[in-house]
Amino acid sequence: MQIRTLLAGSAMLALLAGCAAGPTDGPAGAAVEPDEERYQGTLPCRNCDGIDLDVLMRGDEQAAAEDRTFELNASYRGHPQSPPDETYAGNWEVLEGTANEPDATVYELTPDGEGQIYYFLRLDPQTLELIDPERRRFQNSEMLQLKRQ
């Protein structure tokens, strides 16, 4: 089951939660470089206990487009079909504003090849929130937040 299908099928009722700040060891023990930011959380899942999400963004907002890359890893917890982990990689862009917040910063993560484009609203330096492709926040916005590691 593709994560994009799951998100679309559940009307993106996603839950993202996570942890702290700064360069730290990632889940595989690899050190995060100063120009990298890692965000983690859990999406809700209709048929499982949740989807653990790990997003690593490389580069900064002023970097050239080809230097702004990301990796997104999704792991299903307690799913009856035990789907394999999914990994997407591509580039990210900075978009300006949402429908209600014209000065807000939005990150658009576009996977190489197949995969869903993800939109994250930057709430503060430690928190990203999954938003819809029209750059609108969901009703359950608190449940859609990733925290910086």
Side-chain angles (χ1 to χ4, degrees):
M1 175 181 295
Q2 297 260 342
I3 192 168
R4 62 186 164 147
T5 304
L6 180 62
L7 288 174
S10 66
M12 290 192 162
L13 295 175
L15 167 62
L16 304 175
C19 302
T24 61
D25 285 344
V32 175
E33 298 297 321
D35 65 341
E36 295 181 340
E37 294 182 4
R38 182 179 299 278
Y39 296 88
Q40 294 180 332
T42 302
L43 298 169
C45 177
R46 226 185 264 185
N47 300 321
C48 68
D49 298 332
I51 304 168
D52 293 328
L53 207 63
D54 179 12
V55 178
L56 178 63
M57 296 172 63
R58 291 185 187 92
D60 61 32
E61 293 181 16
Q62 291 76 36
E66 62 272 9
D67 294 332
R68 291 189 309 266
T69 62
F70 77 91
E71 291 177 20
L72 185 147
N73 297 300
S75 300
Y76 296 86
R77 280 195 273 142
H79 195 286
Q81 297 173 344
S82 300
D85 291 352
E86 297 177 18
T87 300
Y88 301 97
N91 293 87
W92 60 274
E93 294 290 330
V94 180
L95 306 177
E96 186 82 18
T98 66
N100 296 327
E101 301 173 61
D103 295 329
T105 299
V106 175
Y107 299 124
E108 177 184 66
L109 281 62
T110 305
D112 297 330
E114 269 190 49
Q116 170 180 324
I117 297 174
Y118 293 88
Y119 297 88
F120 290 99
L121 171 63
R122 183 178 175 168
L123 297 178
D124 60 50
Q126 305 304 316
T127 312
L128 298 183
E129 181 181 302
L130 183 68
I131 58 176
D132 76 13
E134 303 296 318
R135 293 193 245 168
R136 296 176 301 207
R137 295 176 80 179
F138 293 102
Q139 287 181 349
N140 58 342
S141 61
E142 290 179 10
M143 297 170 38
L144 301 170
Q145 295 177 1
L146 289 170
K147 295 292 182 179
R148 188 171 174 189
Q149 291 293 301

